[in-house]
């Protein structure tokens, strides 16, 4: 077991790679009641074409299958794992993103028992025709719920506009039609390909004894056998660097207009510190331009073009990166054009040192605040680890970020060819 | 379990919770008054105007620039109702400087900022700045309207409106759209003075700090007149006489929202409060509960089907999202689960499971500064004081008879269904 000390942050992290390839991290947190653990596979909704384990040909699977599998893994021959967790006083959950599927629990008691349950249920799939069919009704209602949600529609609409081919444009849950094609055989095939321990990471954070927990995990894994698995071959989608569609308008039964401007990164670094810096630089650039202390925010707010729903965020994952800026507005057209003007007129020579340093300070405070949350630590640590970066490097990376770093982001991404707009407008307007 | 020290400084109850588990320090300010039609919209606007500028930082930009300088201190406000009380909250969260290269005393600066927000707002000729008030009126209108576009929130709000018609609880904490226009900078300033003179005031400071230091800072910066003790209005209500009401509303939606309201006739004040929590946990509060198992897992009708309590008012609310055609089926299954509760048709295992989960949920809530304050604030809202340790013991002691007794008091009040425009299973077509 390896110990990593982050002195400035007063944190100690323990790491070990299991014989079967599973990466395990433990972050003891004294003073907390809760232990939070995530068991995550490097597999999400964009992984819809790959070479299944033991095969040689690429295979395209139905959209939404990673998310479907996440739902189904909770069901076993003898019942529902949620029941098991709640008997042990834990609350369990799971989520699927573009590139990851995570299973988790939090509990203040019976931590070892709950950890055992988590590892074992994720590592023992049970899919049957009957339970697969039943799930289609439940996920169908989950999809309907999002269909009626204008915030989700405008958010996802903007992503759709940016991409030509990349499956990031496909809703994580798929569609009612695509999930209809899912079978138990397909679920097993995806499971065997992506849930191999060497493609997974286990993170435990809370008031735990790291020695005991690591030993428990070692013992648990030693009892199980897994086939040899080569690194998964995923289909590499050809994606043009420019956006697919400049503007999309979705009429809905709403009272308020919604507008998001999407900014597509033409390319993103593959891994490591470089990737971390690129992502941070993008975040700082957005904060510099659109934060509440920026002149643009003040002006747009005064003109009534934005309100407290205004947000901006940058998402960078395996092979893609995009930002979204916008929110509710009285005039979607004007807001879209104002945001684009701000982006396009941003250039290296306009960056003010004092404001840049202030944004960095703000980011440092926000990072410390985020570390109050065990959920943030486990989820984000895992995300960075899958790209060979380290969450705890954020502090030094932020401190050393330069104006050149954000100028580089601006010159490659804040261009007309990289910008798409999506609006939700009241029906009949 | 939680080391809460409470000391009155004038009319302000100062609650200090010293802990070194966080990397930031948190300040929460709460002002409480009765929920009433005449003041609800003024109160919904006031904290947003206050967070738009102080005498020293008279604009949002100037104020936010200062917050960024304090290593990205966060400042936010919100409005809630607890029973028939309307609560304004201002929160400031600052980094603990021991994790920073620079040793600026951030917490004391944050307390000073809170005092400035409250007592030295940006003014123009003895009233709030008209531009700020007008901007925030516009934002408030948008906030009120936004509910219509979020169908889950909309259905929750509509159920409460229908169910509590004529009671203050029907009011939304974000105020009434029709009352926004009439608010002026003068009128709001007068209300601000009144609220500072009359509201019940609570300040929570959570973090790496000793009570003495907090009290010294508060004594220096917060000077307020004492106020007459207010009569406590009871929030509790009984179901009006008459039939169960059924309200069906049609909109252009794909998913129907079925929300059902019950009167629990048990509140935070009552001995049966812990039994009520357990009742809700077995019935619909969790993913092992009857609603989740029967509506979602067995019948495959919904993605979400759950219940929650408003424990100061004594309401239980069921919510679920279903295919419009499945209305009758879903209602029948939900009714059956309620009947099962009343019949005592639940196992000892369900009891034990729910106790374990409630205990876990409480302990987890105490791990976040925000959750901790919300739990402690129940004891401000209610005349009944329940220390945290009592929550755990109280939940453990609940028996099956207690739960059945509570179930027996729960009365169905109003069924609200938001559904699509298409024909439903009985062939009726919407307008």
């Amino acid at each position: 077991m390896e110990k990593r000390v982050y002195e400035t942050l007063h944190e100690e992290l323990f790491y070990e790679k299991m014989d079967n390839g599973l990466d395990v991290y433990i972050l003891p947190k004294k003073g907390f009641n809760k232990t939070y653990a995530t068991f995550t596979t490097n597999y999400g909704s964009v992984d819809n074409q790959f070479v299944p384990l033991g095969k040689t040909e690429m295979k395209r699977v139905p959209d939404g299958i990673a998310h479907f599998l996440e739902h189904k893994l909770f069901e076993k021959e003898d019942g529902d794992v949620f029941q098991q967790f709640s008997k042990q006083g834990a609350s369990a959950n799971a989520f699927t993103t573009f590139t990851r599927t995570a299973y988790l629990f939090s509990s203040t008691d019976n931590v070892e028992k709950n950890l055992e349950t988590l590892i074992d249920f994720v590592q023992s799939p049970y899919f049957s025709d009957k339970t697969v069919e039943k799930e289609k009704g439940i996920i169908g209602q989950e999809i309907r719920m999002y269909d009626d949600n204008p915030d989700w529609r405008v958010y996802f609409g903007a992503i759709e506009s940016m991409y030509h081919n990349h499956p990031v444009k496909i809703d994580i849950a798929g569609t009612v039609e695509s999930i209809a094609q899912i079978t138990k055989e397909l679920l097993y095939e995806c499971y065997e390909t992506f849930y191999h321990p060497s493609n997974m990471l286990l993170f435990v954070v809370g008031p735990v004894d790291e020695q005991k927990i690591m030993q428990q995990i070692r013992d648990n894994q030693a009892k199980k056998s897994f086939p040899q698995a080569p690194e998964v071959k995923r289909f590499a989608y050809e994606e043009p660097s420019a956006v697919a569609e400049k503007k999309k308008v979705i009429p809905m039964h709403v009272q308020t207009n919604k507008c998001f401007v999407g900014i597509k990164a033409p390319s993103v670094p593959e891994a490591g510190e470089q990737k971390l810096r690129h992502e941070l630089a993008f975040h700082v650039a957005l904060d510099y331009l659109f934060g509440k202390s920026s002149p643009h925010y003040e002006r747009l707010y005064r003109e009534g073009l934005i309100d407290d729903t205004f947000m901006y965020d940058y998402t960078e994952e395996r092979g893609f990166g995009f930002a979204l800026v916008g929110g509710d507005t009285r005039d979607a057209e004007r807001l879209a054009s104002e945001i684009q003007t701000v982006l396009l007129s941003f250039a290296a020579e306009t960056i003010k040192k004092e404001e840049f340093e202030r944004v960095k300070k703000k980011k440092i405070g926000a990072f410390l605040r985020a570390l109050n949350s065990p959920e943030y630590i486990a989820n984000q640590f895992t995300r960075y680890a899958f790209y060979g970066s380290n969450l705890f490097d954020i502090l030094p990376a932020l401190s050393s970020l330069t104006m050149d770093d954000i100028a580089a982001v601006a010159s490659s991404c804040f261009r007309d060819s990289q910008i798409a707009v999506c609006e939700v407008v009241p029906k009949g307007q | 379990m939680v080391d809460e020290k409470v000391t009155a400084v004038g009319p302000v109850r100062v609650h200090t919770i010293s802990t070194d588990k966080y990397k930031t320090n948190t300040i929460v300010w709460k002002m409480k008054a009765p929920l009433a039609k005449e003041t609800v919209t003024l109160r919904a606007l006031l904290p947003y105007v206050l967070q738009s500028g102080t005498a020293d930082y008279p604009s949002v930009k100037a104020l936010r620039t200062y917050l960024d300088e304090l290593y990205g201190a966060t400042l936010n406000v919100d409005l809630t109702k607890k029973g028939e009380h309307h609560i304004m909250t201002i929160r400031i969260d600052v980094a603990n400087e021991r994790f920073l290269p620079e040793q600026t005393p951030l917490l004391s600066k944050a307390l000073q900022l809170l005092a400035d927000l409250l007592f030295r707002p940006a003014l123009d000729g003895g009233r709030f700045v008209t531009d700020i008030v007008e901007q925030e009126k516009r934002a408030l209108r948008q906030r009120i309207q936004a509910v219509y576009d979020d169908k889950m929130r909309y259905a929750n709000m509509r159920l409460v409106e229908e169910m509590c018609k004529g009671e203050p609880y029907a009011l939304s904490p974000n105020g009434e759209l029709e009352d926004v226009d009439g608010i002026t900078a003068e009128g709001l300033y007068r209300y601000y003075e009144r609220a500072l003179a009359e509201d019940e005031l609570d300040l929570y400071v959570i973090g790496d700090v000793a009570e003495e230091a907090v009290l010294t800072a508060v004594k220096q910066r917060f000077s307020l007149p004492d106020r007459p003790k207010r009569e406590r209005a009871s929030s509790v209500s009984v179901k009006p006489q008459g039939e169960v009401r059924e309200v069906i509303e049609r909109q252009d939606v794909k998913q129907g929202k079925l929300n059902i309201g019950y009167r629990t006739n048990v509140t935070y004040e009552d001995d049966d409060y812990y039994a009520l929590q357990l009742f809700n946990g077995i019935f619909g509060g969790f993913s092992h509960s009857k609603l989740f198992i029967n509506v979602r897992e067995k019948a495959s009708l919904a993605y979400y089907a759950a219940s929650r309590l408003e424990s100061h008012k004594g309401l239980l609310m069921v919510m679920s999202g279903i295919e419009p055609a499945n209305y009758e089926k879903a209602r029948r299954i939900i009714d059956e689960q309620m009947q099962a509760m009343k019949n005592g048709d639940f196992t000892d295992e369900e009891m034990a499971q729910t106790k374990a989960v409630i205990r876990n949920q409480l302990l987890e809530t105490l791990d976040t500064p925000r959750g901790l304050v919300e739990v402690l604030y129940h004891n401000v809202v209610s005349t009944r004081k329940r220390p945290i340790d009592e929550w755990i013991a109280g939940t453990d002691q609940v028996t099956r008879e207690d739960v059945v007794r509570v179930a027996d008091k729960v009365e169905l009040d109003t069924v609200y269904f938001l559904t699509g425009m298409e024909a439903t299973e009985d062939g009726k077509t919407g307008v």
Side-chain angles (χ1 to χ4, degrees):
Chain A
M1 186 164 73
E2 180 191 326
K3 175 173 165 178
R4 300 179 187 168
V5 180
Y6 300 99
E7 249 170 59
T8 338
L9 294 170
H10 299 254
E11 300 286 4
E12 288 183 349
L13 180 69
F14 296 86
Y15 166 67
E16 187 168 317
K17 193 185 248 321
M18 298 291 136
D19 291 339
N20 61 22
L22 176 66
D23 283 322
V24 180
Y25 292 88
I26 301 169
L27 187 80
K29 274 268 189 195
K30 305 293 172 228
F32 277 75
N33 296 311
K34 160 164 89 177
T35 295
Y36 180 79
T38 58
F39 194 11
T40 310
T41 160
N42 191 354
Y43 166 56
S45 67
V46 301
D47 299 311
N48 65 2
Q49 212 172 151
F50 55 87
V51 179
L53 183 70
K55 303 274 171 65
T56 51
E57 299 285 302
M58 277 283 166
K59 177 164 186 169
R60 174 76 161 86
V61 291
D63 292 332
I65 195 165
H67 170 257
F68 200 101
L69 202 169
E70 173 230 296
H71 274 236
K72 276 334 310 160
L73 212 46
F74 281 93
E75 198 160 317
K76 302 296 172 206
E77 201 163 3
D78 55 353
D80 194 324
V81 187
F82 281 120
Q83 294 286 337
Q84 182 72 31
F85 276 114
S86 64
K87 275 174 204 157
Q88 295 161 194
S91 83
N93 214 333
F95 60 85
T96 306
T97 72
F98 293 125
T99 54
R100 281 169 295 137
T101 313
Y103 300 84
L104 58 98
F105 76 84
S106 60
S107 78
T108 52
D109 231 333
N110 299 320
V111 169
E112 281 148 55
K113 234 190 217 167
N114 286 314
L115 183 61
E116 203 75 2
T117 305
L118 175 71
I119 301 171
D120 288 346
F121 101 79
V122 173
Q123 293 189 327
S124 56
Y126 168 78
F127 310 127
S128 75
D129 292 327
K130 192 170 151 234
T131 61
V132 167
E133 284 318 303
K134 195 203 71 182
E135 201 65 26
K136 291 179 181 172
I138 297 171
I139 295 182
Q141 285 308 314
E142 186 177 3
I143 293 170
R144 289 273 177 264
M145 181 177 84
Y146 282 108
D147 282 346
D148 280 338
N149 183 326
D151 290 317
W152 178 255
R153 295 286 297 276
V154 71
Y155 178 87
F156 226 88
I159 299 173
E160 268 172 34
S161 310
M162 284 185 273
Y163 289 89
H164 297 259
N165 307 317
H166 196 286
V168 64
K169 65 184 288 186
I170 302 165
D171 196 312
I172 290 168
T175 62
V176 172
E177 295 72 31
S178 73
I179 64 169
Q181 301 160 27
I182 293 174
T183 61
K184 74 167 197 285
E185 289 75 19
L186 284 169
L187 290 176
Y188 276 116
E189 196 160 52
C190 292
Y191 180 87
E192 277 149 20
T193 307
F194 290 105
Y195 283 68
H196 192 277
S198 60
N199 195 45
M200 299 187 72
L201 191 154
L202 179 59
F203 198 103
V204 182
V205 46
V208 295
D209 175 341
E210 66 278 359
Q211 301 286 351
K212 246 168 94 184
I213 293 287
M214 197 62 95
Q215 189 56 46
Q216 183 193 347
I217 298 168
R218 256 179 238 131
D219 293 345
N220 178 296
Q221 292 301 284
K223 279 185 285 187
K224 298 170 185 169
S225 70
F226 296 89
Q228 280 296 320
E231 192 164 345
V232 185
K233 276 200 200 72
R234 300 171 166 93
F235 183 76
Y237 282 88
E238 282 282 330
E239 177 64 32
S241 62
V243 299
E245 181 184 17
K246 287 302 286 176
K247 184 175 168 184
K248 183 197 284 294
V249 178
I250 306 171
M252 282 184 80
H253 192 80
V254 292
Q255 300 207 346
T256 312
N257 293 281
K258 290 172 190 293
C259 167
F260 268 121
V261 173
I263 307 151
K264 178 182 181 183
S267 65
V268 295
E270 232 173 74
E273 201 202 326
Q274 210 193 347
K275 191 169 179 69
L276 182 71
R277 288 185 75 87
H278 182 259
E279 184 191 90
L280 291 174
F282 213 124
H283 280 290
V284 168
L286 289 176
D287 238 305
Y288 181 94
L289 288 174
F290 299 109
K292 283 188 171 169
S293 60
S294 71
H296 303 304
Y297 181 93
E298 183 183 44
R299 180 172 51 85
L300 297 173
Y301 193 87
R302 184 180 296 151
E303 290 175 20
L305 288 172
I306 59 174
D307 62 17
D308 40 16
T309 62
F310 181 73
M311 57 85 81
Y312 50 90
D313 196 22
Y314 177 63
T315 304
E316 182 171 315
E317 301 287 353
R318 190 200 318 125
F320 62 88
F322 60 82
L324 291 168
V325 183
D328 291 358
T329 178
R330 63 176 169 82
D331 187 339
E333 297 269 320
R334 261 200 65 204
L335 178 59
S337 113
E338 293 279 356
I339 292 172
Q340 291 184 74
T341 308
V342 170
L343 290 167
L344 296 175
S345 50
F346 182 61
E349 54 281 9
T350 65
I351 306 173
K352 295 197 182 78
K353 176 127 182 75
E354 192 190 338
E355 289 177 30
F356 171 72
E357 292 300 330
R358 198 172 63 230
V359 171
K360 274 169 60 175
K361 266 185 158 180
K362 175 179 167 184
K363 284 285 177 200
I364 288 169
F367 177 66
L368 289 176
R369 180 167 306 107
L371 292 184
N372 287 342
S373 156
E375 291 88 342
Y376 173 86
I377 294 172
N379 297 334
Q380 294 302 311
F381 186 92
T382 303
R383 189 171 79 83
Y384 285 115
F386 282 158
Y387 307 132
S389 327
N390 181 349
L391 174 73
F392 297 108
D393 286 344
I394 286 187
L395 214 48
L398 267 177
S399 306
S400 67
L401 212 60
T402 65
M403 295 202 285
D404 287 344
D405 290 323
I406 66 167
V409 163
S411 78
S412 67
C413 305
F414 298 175
R415 295 165 168 269
D416 189 52
S417 59
Q418 303 314 112
I419 295 177
V421 175
C422 181
E423 299 172 3
V424 163
V425 300
K427 246 183 188 167
Q429 199 185 67
Chain B
M1 186 174 301
V2 171
D3 180 24
E4 183 195 20
K5 297 203 172 67
V6 188
T7 305
V9 176
V12 184
R13 266 185 304 254
V14 181
H15 311 245
T16 308
I17 297 105
S18 304
T19 168
D20 61 0
K21 79 197 217 193
Y22 307 115
K23 293 196 162 51
T24 60
N25 293 315
T26 304
I27 303 170
V28 181
W29 171 259
K30 286 186 177 277
M31 297 177 68
K32 177 164 85 64
L35 188 60
K37 164 88 172 126
E38 302 71 53
T39 55
V40 69
T41 313
L42 288 161
R43 293 179 74 82
L45 184 61
L46 180 57
Y48 287 92
V49 168
L50 294 179
Q51 73 156 353
S52 298
T54 65
D56 297 337
Y57 304 102
S59 68
V60 171
K61 185 173 185 302
L63 185 60
R64 292 285 160 180
T65 301
Y66 179 60
L67 288 164
D68 289 356
E69 288 294 346
L70 301 180
Y71 280 89
T74 58
L75 162 64
N76 58 67
V77 302
D78 72 31
L79 282 303
T80 50
K81 56 180 175 181
K82 290 232 180 300
E84 272 151 4
H85 303 284
H86 196 196
I87 296 138
M88 298 189 266
T89 304
I90 301 177
R91 294 188 185 83
I92 301 177
D93 188 82
V94 279
N96 181 347
E97 57 270 17
R98 68 183 266 225
F99 299 104
L100 296 171
E102 220 181 310
Q103 299 300 307
T104 323
L106 291 173
L107 180 60
S108 101
K109 289 193 176 202
L111 278 166
Q112 179 64 53
L113 178 64
L114 175 65
D116 287 351
L117 288 164
L118 291 168
F119 312 122
R120 298 177 61 232
L123 296 182
D124 178 12
R127 54 175 166 70
F128 288 125
V129 180
T130 306
D131 276 359
I132 290 180
V133 173
E134 289 307 315
Q135 265 175 42
E136 291 309 316
K137 280 165 67 178
R138 186 167 55 208
L140 177 59
R141 272 185 226 109
Q142 283 176 354
R143 207 150 42 239
I144 295 170
Q145 271 167 340
V147 179
Y148 295 89
D149 296 343
D150 180 341
K151 298 308 174 197
M152 212 187 286
R153 274 175 67 202
Y154 178 76
N156 284 333
M157 180 191 82
R158 289 283 298 121
L159 171 66
V160 170
E161 270 178 12
E162 291 290 341
M163 186 170 167
C164 301
K165 236 178 217 169
E167 300 172 67
Y169 195 77
L171 295 164
S172 157
N174 282 327
E176 307 267 282
L177 193 56
E178 77 240 25
D179 292 336
V180 179
D181 279 347
I183 297 177
T184 61
E186 293 88 351
L188 188 66
Y189 190 77
R190 278 197 303 276
Y191 183 72
Y192 153 78
E193 292 183 307
R194 185 181 142 195
L196 276 187
E198 295 180 2
D199 276 18
E200 256 186 76
L201 310 173
D202 289 272
L203 174 67
Y204 293 83
V205 179
I206 303 111
D208 191 5
V209 60
E211 193 201 19
E212 267 183 28
V214 173
L215 293 179
T216 309
V218 172
K219 279 175 195 151
Q220 277 168 9
R221 298 178 174 109
F222 291 63
S223 131
L224 281 155
D226 276 319
R227 54 215 60 209
K229 207 165 170 59
R230 203 194 281 259
E231 280 292 301
R232 275 178 174 274
S234 169
S235 285
V236 190
S237 62
V238 288
K239 177 179 174 297
Q241 292 297 312
E243 290 295 294
V244 171
R245 298 192 49 225
E246 188 180 38
V247 180
I248 294 184
E249 185 172 335
R250 289 180 192 280
Q251 286 186 6
D252 183 11
V253 292
K254 293 184 184 172
Q255 183 176 69
K257 307 284 185 205
L258 174 56
N259 289 46
I260 305 178
Y262 304 81
R263 305 267 170 179
T264 58
N265 299 304
V266 175
T267 72
Y268 193 87
E269 312 264 321
D270 297 307
D271 292 341
D272 270 338
Y273 172 68
Y274 298 117
L276 176 67
Q277 290 289 344
L278 216 60
F279 162 85
N280 180 54
I282 299 171
F283 176 61
F286 302 103
S287 60
H288 69 269
S289 307
K290 289 189 180 299
L291 290 180
F292 189 90
I293 297 296
N294 291 286
V295 180
R296 172 175 152 143
E297 295 298 307
K298 289 201 179 140
S300 199
L301 290 183
Y303 171 65
Y304 70 93
S307 65
R308 68 182 172 89
L309 291 169
E310 207 303 352
S311 52
H312 294 284
K313 176 72 181 165
L315 307 180
L316 171 76
M317 278 158 310
V318 167
M319 62 211 105
S320 67
I322 57 172
E323 203 60 50
N326 287 332
Y327 173 67
E328 295 296 339
K329 211 164 155 189
R331 267 209 68 183
R332 194 181 62 240
I333 296 173
I334 294 167
D335 284 347
E336 284 166 6
Q337 305 320 307
M338 180 55 84
Q339 199 50 53
M341 293 302 299
K342 290 178 188 281
N343 295 344
D345 183 9
F346 49 85
T347 61
D348 291 341
E349 194 165 45
E350 281 173 282
M351 285 282 292
Q353 202 171 2
T354 305
K355 283 181 181 177
V357 174
I358 288 176
R359 176 191 151 86
N360 185 56
Q361 192 181 47
L362 173 67
L363 290 172
E364 286 194 17
T365 306
L366 301 179
D367 270 348
T368 68
R370 190 182 177 134
L372 177 59
V373 170
E374 293 308 317
V375 170
L376 295 174
Y377 196 64
H378 282 298
N379 290 331
V380 170
V381 173
S382 176
T383 51
R384 175 88 179 233
K385 305 296 170 229
R386 297 180 185 276
I388 306 268
D389 299 316
E390 191 202 297
W391 281 65
I392 307 237
T395 306
D396 268 353
Q397 283 156 17
V398 174
T399 65
R400 126 185 314 279
E401 290 69 38
D402 297 334
V403 176
V404 175
R405 184 173 62 247
V406 165
D408 208 43
K409 293 183 192 166
V410 175
E411 291 175 280
L412 177 59
D413 186 295
T414 301
V415 179
Y416 170 83
F417 189 46
L418 174 66
T419 185
M421 311 297 268
E422 300 102 51
T424 51
E425 60 188 334
D426 55 3
K428 275 185 278 184
T429 313
V431 281

